[in-house]
Each structure stands twice: as structure tokens, then as C-alpha cells.
Amino acid sequence: MTSCCPAWVKFAEHHFHNFLGNLSTAKSPQQMFGAVAKNVWAKENGISKEKIICVSIMPCLAKKYEASRHKFKDGGIPDVDYSISTRQLASLLKQANIDLRTLPESKFDNPLGYSTGAADIFGKTGGVIEAATRSLYEWVTGEELEKVDFEQFRGIEGIRIAEIPVNGIKLRIGVVNGLGAARELLNKIERGEESLHAIEVMACKGGCVGGGGQPFHYGNFEIVKERIKGLEKIDSGKIIRKSHDNPYIIELYKKYFGEPLSHEAHHLLHTYYSPKKRI
């Protein structure tokens, strides 16, 4: 099960403790970014990580709690120091009378400034598991995936089940948005009424684009649908659309992490949600 939504993770810790061992060990994008910024980017630029303050701008209010968790500190230094919402950023820009449209354009710092289309769709329901499946298919089959759009994962229904054939195996994958829907699906699994290979869960309706820190849509969900379409358009316009093809990610592993799930990679990019004791 995915672990990039901190509201879902906290929900699981309180209500579905027996599923914690099934959560992905991968940190969320926010925490990975902070860990790489402080331990890789800082090193490459000759800056002590103690001197870096990492501020994330997120569509999610639960990211504030996530950034404060002790498990996301290394030697007492948090991966992310402060997390503000997109709505808070807009308020700060208005207070300071800053019009983004009048500012000169500049480039992001790499390796943190480049993203694939797979990264962009993380912000919508079904996007995380679609990005993962693009990589999974090529790793398992050894063949290049010509059609990267897995439309089976797309939609806004609370629970969606997709079947993806990979190397003669029919993968059953669940996509959930909304914690009520998550409770419904997990209860079915506990009762033996459903069996899945993987599940993506996002707490907010529509995914991160409908997050609690986003500009208010006042119940007009058409706004969230347009945000979803926007992410899909960005993805379709990217030259590289699969996460594992990102040249900067490849370089990071070569220079710093070695193989996936290596000791070095696990130290910075992974964590566990222990099922040993009830939260």
C-alpha cells in the first residue's frame, strides 16, 4: 500500500494497525526531497546540512504533522523544517505585494529541479500507482512500455479496481480516494471479500489536487476535476514520462545510493511504520 499520503498513514496507524506492515517503506516526496536536499545537494555545494532550512509548499495540511514526526529526523535534524500550504503561500505573496507573473524566470537547482511525467501525476488520485506501474511493467517484462497511460486507474470514484496483465500475471490493483472509501475497502479485505496485489490510498477526494491546503473550491468539484486534467496534460507533454528514466535519479543512485533498497538508500529515502505496537 502506498505511503505518500500522511493523513492516510495516520488513519491506518489508528484504525488499521494490522495493515501497517503492508505500507510501502518509501518516504513521501516531501520527506525524500528534504533528505536529498540536506544530505546530497548540500554536500555537492559545500554547505553543512545544519545550516539548511527546508520549507515545503504543499496542497496538504497533514504534511505539517508529517514533517514534525521524529522518524523523519536524522541525528535530530528534520528532513523538512517547515511545511506551508499552497493557500498560505498565496496569502504571503499577496501580503508582500508580489506578482509572480512579473518575476524573471530562472532554473531550478538539480538534481531537485527535474521531473518526469510520472512525478506530475502523483498529485491526482490513481497517479501514484500509475507511475509505479509504468516502472513495474518494464522491470518485470524487460520490454519498453509503448503506451504509458494506464487509464484503468483514472476516475474519481471512491474505490476503483483495475486488472493489469504483466508477464502472464493479472495484477489486481485498488485505487482509493477518501478515508471512508479506504475503510470500506480494507474492511472487505479483512473479511476475505477482496484480494489485491497493491493499493493506492489518498485521503482527499480527487487526490492532492483536492487537498485541505489548496485554494477553496466551495463544493464545486468541477474545479478539482480541472486540476486533475491539468496534471494529465502536463504528464502527456513531458519527453520523459517514467520515473526510472529520470537521468538525475539514475545519477543519484550511481553516486550516492547504489542499488535500490541499499543501506544508503534506506537510510535517507525509506522508513517503517511498525506493526509491533498499537499507536
Side-chain angles (χ1 to χ4, degrees):
M1 295 190 284
T2 59
S3 59
C4 50
C5 172
W8 144 244
V9 169
K10 189 62 173 170
F11 176 81
E13 286 179 321
H14 282 282
H15 300 285
F16 289 93
H17 190 261
N18 53 317
F19 280 103
L20 293 183
N22 296 96
L23 287 179
S24 166
T25 63
K27 290 182 180 179
S28 71
Q30 170 181 265
Q31 301 307 134
M32 285 193 185
F33 181 98
V36 172
K38 290 191 175 186
N39 293 277
V40 175
W41 182 86
K43 184 177 181 180
E44 291 191 345
N45 287 273
I47 304 171
S48 170
K49 69 177 183 179
E50 288 83 2
K51 293 184 178 180
I52 292 180
I53 299 297
C54 183
V55 182
S56 70
I57 302 163
M58 289 285 151
C60 172
L61 296 178
K63 290 291 180 185
K64 296 174 181 289
Y65 159 74
E66 181 184 52
S68 72
R69 296 193 69 161
H70 182 73
K71 64 168 62 254
F72 297 128
K73 293 182 179 180
D74 183 15
I77 300 174
D79 294 337
V80 176
D81 298 276
Y82 304 102
S83 182
I84 67 172
S85 69
T86 51
R87 199 165 59 244
Q88 286 176 312
L89 174 65
S91 178
L92 290 171
L93 291 171
K94 289 179 181 178
Q95 289 178 32
N97 197 29
I98 295 174
D99 185 349
L100 293 180
R101 295 170 295 182
T102 65
L103 299 180
E105 291 190 11
S106 60
K107 294 182 179 180
F108 287 102
D109 295 306
N110 286 318
L112 301 167
Y114 182 86
S115 66
T116 65
D120 297 306
I121 57 174
F122 260 60
K124 71 182 186 76
T125 177
V128 173
I129 206 69
E130 180 172 348
T133 303
R134 292 176 185 180
S135 296
L136 166 74
Y137 184 91
E138 292 199 352
W139 287 347
V140 171
T141 64
E143 302 172 357
E144 183 175 355
L145 183 63
E146 295 182 3
K147 186 180 183 300
V148 301
D149 295 310
F150 285 90
E151 297 181 0
Q152 303 97 316
F153 298 135
R154 301 183 181 184
I156 57 170
E157 300 86 358
I159 299 174
R160 305 186 297 286
I161 306 296
E163 294 188 346
I164 309 293
V166 180
N167 252 21
I169 300 173
K170 187 174 290 185
L171 296 180
R172 285 181 55 79
I173 299 175
V175 180
V176 180
N177 64 134
L179 294 180
R183 184 187 296 276
E184 180 183 343
L185 180 59
L186 294 183
N187 282 338
K188 284 185 177 180
I189 293 172
E190 285 188 319
R191 294 194 298 265
E193 298 171 6
E194 185 60 88
S195 179
L196 300 164
H197 292 94
I199 307 171
E200 177 200 293
V201 183
M202 293 188 180
C204 293
K205 189 68 175 175
C208 304
V209 289
Q214 289 281 67
F216 295 125
H217 56 72
Y218 299 102
N220 181 5
F221 200 73
E222 293 303 313
I223 293 174
V224 177
K225 290 180 181 178
E226 288 302 312
R227 294 173 185 168
I228 291 173
K229 290 179 183 177
L231 292 186
E232 292 173 347
K233 183 177 180 180
I234 293 171
D235 168 37
S236 65
K238 288 290 183 71
I239 296 175
I240 300 178
R241 300 183 62 193
K242 292 169 283 190
S243 301
H244 63 280
D245 286 341
N246 185 326
Y248 292 100
I249 296 297
I250 294 171
E251 184 181 1
L252 274 175
Y253 272 89
K254 284 183 177 178
K255 291 179 64 176
Y256 294 98
F257 304 140
E259 295 296 321
L261 295 178
S262 66
H263 173 76
E264 292 78 9
H266 195 275
H267 177 68
L268 288 183
L269 307 179
H270 295 260
T271 189
Y272 283 110
Y273 296 95
S274 175
K276 293 181 180 178
K277 60 179 181 179
R278 186 167 296 279
I279 304 297

